[in-house]
Amino acid sequence: MSNTMTSALAVFPDATTLAESAASLVADSLSDAVSVRGWASLVVPGGRTPAQFLSCLSTAVLPWDRVSVTLTDERWVGLDDAGSNEAMVRRNLLTAFARRAQLVPLYTGESSPAEGIASVDRALGAFDDAFDMVVLGMGEDGHIASLFPGEPTWPQPAEGIAAGQFCVPAIGIPGGPERISLTLGRLVNARSIVVLATGESKRRLWEDMEAGGPSASLPIGALQASVRCPLTVLWCP
């Protein structure tokens, strides 16, 4: 599918300014969604970079009891593990005003992502077909969520792996825990997408992708080529 939507790179001087701007942008989107449909859905990333953004967003004055939150991906570990994305989201977002939001986690406690997929898909089925706001991180290798170049489930068709399937298992970093990830089809079927990126290597990757270079074949390139909505990359050094 060719991309007829607009993508843009917004540059910020530092991580704090980026986090505050991202929080303002996302809060406005959620507020508009609640006004129009009575409910809003938010998908957020894990990892280190998004923590400051999530903390800023937690203080936004919104009808958080009308907002459902889930994750772009998750390591298959419990809440007591330092690598748990859910634990990071609970610490940084589900505080202050945002503590009233409803979180739909991806980790189910079953023995593996493959065993948990059916349960996760049922839980995520409560969301509308289109997420209101998807916030993603981007790796230096061009991965998004836990859709890594070279994964058995990558490349994916933009429509997803199977009808009604939200998630796929992922191997992730060799030696690390197994992962679960939203499919490309579910990520691009959003009303708005924001990508958070830091560092010169990620800016070069994005610019190479925009110019049709080798990065266009990476997951971030597939996202940009398949989106059906505005996509904004927020970047700082």
Side-chain angles (χ1 to χ4, degrees):
M1 173 180 176
S2 61
N3 179 20
T4 58
M5 302 305 299
T6 301
S7 59
L9 176 70
V11 176
F12 297 90
D14 52 59
T16 297
T17 308
L18 184 153
E20 292 170 349
S21 298
S24 177
L25 189 160
V26 170
D28 287 347
S29 177
L30 296 177
S31 179
D32 289 346
V34 172
S35 296
V36 172
R37 288 179 292 281
W39 198 263
S41 53
L42 170 65
V43 182
V44 297
R48 294 183 299 272
T49 300
Q52 190 172 8
F53 148 70
L54 293 174
S55 294
C56 291
L57 183 59
S58 73
T59 63
V61 179
L62 291 171
W64 283 106
D65 57 334
R66 295 177 177 268
V67 178
S68 291
V69 180
T70 193
L71 291 134
T72 61
D73 62 316
E74 179 62 279
R75 296 174 183 85
W76 206 252
V77 296
L79 283 172
D80 58 346
D81 191 288
S84 169
N85 288 341
E86 179 186 345
M88 189 279 291
V89 169
R90 289 185 180 278
R91 286 193 306 272
N92 292 282
L93 176 62
L94 300 186
T95 61
F97 298 125
R99 68 185 182 278
R100 299 169 64 196
Q102 176 186 349
L103 178 66
V104 179
L106 299 185
Y107 176 70
T108 63
E110 293 173 85
S111 60
S112 69
E115 291 292 325
I117 286 285
S119 296
V120 176
D121 279 343
R122 284 194 296 271
L124 294 179
F127 287 85
D128 290 340
D129 287 342
F131 295 119
D132 290 302
M133 170 60 74
V134 169
V135 183
L136 288 160
M138 178 175 68
E140 293 184 356
D141 60 355
H143 82 265
I144 52 172
S146 281
L147 303 177
F148 289 85
E151 283 277 0
T153 53
W154 185 262
Q156 296 178 0
E159 284 71 29
I161 302 302
Q165 187 170 351
F166 278 86
C167 297
V168 288
I171 296 171
I173 298 171
E178 293 183 273
R179 300 181 182 217
I180 188 170
S181 178
L182 295 187
T183 64
L184 177 63
R186 292 300 183 180
L187 292 171
V188 300
N189 192 32
R191 296 184 174 95
S192 188
I193 299 175
V194 169
V195 177
L196 307 179
T198 61
E200 291 296 337
S201 62
K202 294 180 184 179
R203 180 168 183 172
R204 288 194 299 270
L205 186 151
W206 177 261
E207 291 172 344
D208 175 75
M209 183 207 68
E210 288 257 276
S215 300
S217 65
L218 299 174
I220 184 62
L223 175 83
Q224 195 270 350
S226 303
V227 289
R228 307 175 178 96
C229 65
L231 185 157
T232 304
V233 177
L234 307 183
W235 177 88
C236 73

